[in-house]
């Protein structure tokens, strides 16, 4: 089990200095607690195991005394998230941060799970409405990755687009249906290309990054065999193990066009 901390910034205290330059002024603590999440949408957490801990940081403005903040967990997916902190988080005296621990269990590969954390009405009443700095609710997102297994070596023939024939490693997602595959580092390191072969032998390639152009940034590809760039890349022939990859290649500025490659499966 891994533990992930969703990064939250620390609110800076306000320091006022006296007009007397010989003495330093005291640290000013505002009268309200102003308990807050840093952002309403933290970055998605990716895990490979079916269970994990998610640690969420809370921050406040008034650090003079201990304070216990209350919140509600609202899961989008039932039976996945439990609250290890019991709906409350205590700030120690002098501390501007504390933590909430959520537990995610029973996750299945390939799925995204979400839950919302919402501060109580008492925290809303003590929010800083003058500067409007408090974020009173946040939605966490956890993706459980597939367990990828090696399928073997394939041959990827790209006569027009890449102008090369490449020997490639192919993996499949255990338990996926239709079966999900990926070509490891097809056009560039760090860019694995995922695709599925349906029960009726259609090759589906969703839009995804494939390599990075020095001038135009990330080049995306998507199945475009029917001309609408909706993901269908072409047929698969079980007899020859050949999968047709008719792909449209695009960047933010436009399209390089559509080209057809052939993958021979292991």
């Amino acid at each position: 089990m891994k533990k992930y901390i969703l990064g939250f910034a620390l609110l800076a205290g306000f320091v006022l200095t006296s007009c007397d330059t010989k003495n330093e002024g005291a640290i000013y603590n505002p009268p309200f607690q102003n308990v807050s999440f840093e952002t309403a949408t933290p970055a998605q957490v990716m895990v490979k195991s079916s269970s994990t801990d998610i640690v969420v940081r809370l921050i406040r403005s008034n650090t003079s005394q201990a304070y216990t903040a209350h919140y509600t967990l609202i899961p989008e997916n039932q039976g996945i998230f439990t609250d290890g902190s019991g709906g409350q988080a205590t700030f120690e005296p002098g501390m501007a941060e504390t933590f909430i621990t959520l537990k995610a269990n029973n996750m299945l590969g390939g799925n995204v799970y979400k839950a919302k954390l919402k501060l109580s009405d008492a925290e809303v009443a003590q929010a800083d409405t003058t500067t409007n700095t408090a974020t009173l609710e946040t939605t966490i997102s956890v993706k459980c990755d597939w367990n990828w297994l090696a399928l073997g070596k394939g041959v990827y023939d790209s006569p027009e687009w890449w102008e090369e024939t490449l020997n490639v490693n192919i993996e499949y997602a255990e338990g996926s249906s239709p079966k999900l595959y990926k070509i490891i580092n097809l056009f560039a390191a760090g860019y694995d290309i995922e695709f599925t072969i349906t029960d009726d032998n259609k090759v589906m390639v969703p839009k995804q990054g494939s390599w990075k152009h020095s001038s135009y940034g990330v080049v995306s590809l998507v199945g475009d065999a029917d001309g609408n760039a909706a993901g269908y890349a072409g047929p698969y022939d079980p007899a020859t193990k050949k999968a047709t990859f008719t792909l449209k290649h695009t960047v933010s500025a436009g399209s390089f066009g559509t080209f057809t490659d052939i993958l021979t499966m292991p």
Side-chain angles (χ1 to χ4, degrees), residues 9-252:
L10 186 64
L11 287 181
F14 296 99
V15 180
L16 299 181
T17 56
S18 162
C19 292
D20 183 356
T21 57
K22 295 182 180 179
N23 298 296
E24 293 184 358
I27 295 176
Y28 170 70
N29 274 305
F32 40 77
Q33 288 293 324
N34 198 35
V35 177
S36 177
F37 301 107
E38 182 194 38
T39 175
T41 54
Q44 185 179 89
V45 173
M46 173 79 80
V47 298
K48 288 187 175 295
S49 61
S50 62
S51 62
T52 191
D53 284 0
I54 307 296
V55 180
V56 180
R57 187 182 297 161
L58 278 175
I59 52 181
R60 65 170 177 167
S61 298
N62 189 332
T63 62
S64 61
Q65 297 178 347
Y67 180 77
T68 298
H70 294 82
Y71 61 90
T72 302
L73 170 65
I74 307 171
E76 183 177 294
N77 311 94
Q78 298 301 315
I80 301 298
F81 292 99
T82 55
D83 181 9
S85 298
Q88 61 184 35
T90 299
F91 293 90
E92 297 297 330
M95 298 300 294
E97 64 178 356
T98 191
F99 300 93
I100 294 169
T101 300
L102 302 180
K103 297 181 181 296
N105 295 290
N106 307 315
M107 295 187 294
L108 299 176
N111 291 313
V112 176
Y113 301 95
K114 295 183 178 181
K116 180 182 291 184
L117 290 172
K118 186 175 182 179
L119 289 173
S120 69
D121 291 343
E123 313 317 327
V124 174
Q126 295 194 69
D128 181 3
T129 57
T130 303
T131 60
N132 195 29
T133 59
T135 299
L136 302 174
E137 61 181 53
T138 186
T139 299
I140 65 168
S141 177
V142 183
K143 182 175 182 179
C144 183
D145 196 11
W146 294 100
N147 180 33
W148 291 96
L149 301 175
L151 182 66
K153 289 277 189 181
V155 177
Y156 193 90
D157 186 21
S158 182
E160 294 181 329
W161 171 245
W162 211 250
E163 298 181 344
E164 283 189 47
T165 297
L166 307 168
N167 294 314
V168 293
N169 292 312
I170 299 177
E171 296 181 354
Y172 69 95
E174 185 179 32
S176 58
S177 180
K179 188 164 283 187
L180 175 64
Y181 301 90
K182 66 179 176 181
I183 308 171
I184 307 301
N185 300 330
L186 177 57
F187 296 141
Y191 290 93
D192 300 336
I193 303 304
E194 296 187 5
F195 66 98
T196 57
I197 298 177
T198 65
D199 293 339
D200 54 352
N201 294 318
K202 292 181 179 179
V203 180
M204 304 298 299
V205 183
K207 186 175 182 178
Q208 57 200 288
S210 61
W211 60 288
K212 190 171 184 178
H213 192 284
S214 59
S215 299
Y216 299 109
V218 174
V219 180
S220 295
L221 56 77
V222 63
D224 191 34
D226 50 10
N228 61 14
Y232 173 56
Y236 173 68
D237 183 354
T240 61
K241 295 187 176 181
K242 293 186 181 297
T244 300
F245 279 67
T246 299
L247 305 173
K248 186 175 184 177
H249 301 267
T250 61
V251 292
S252 58

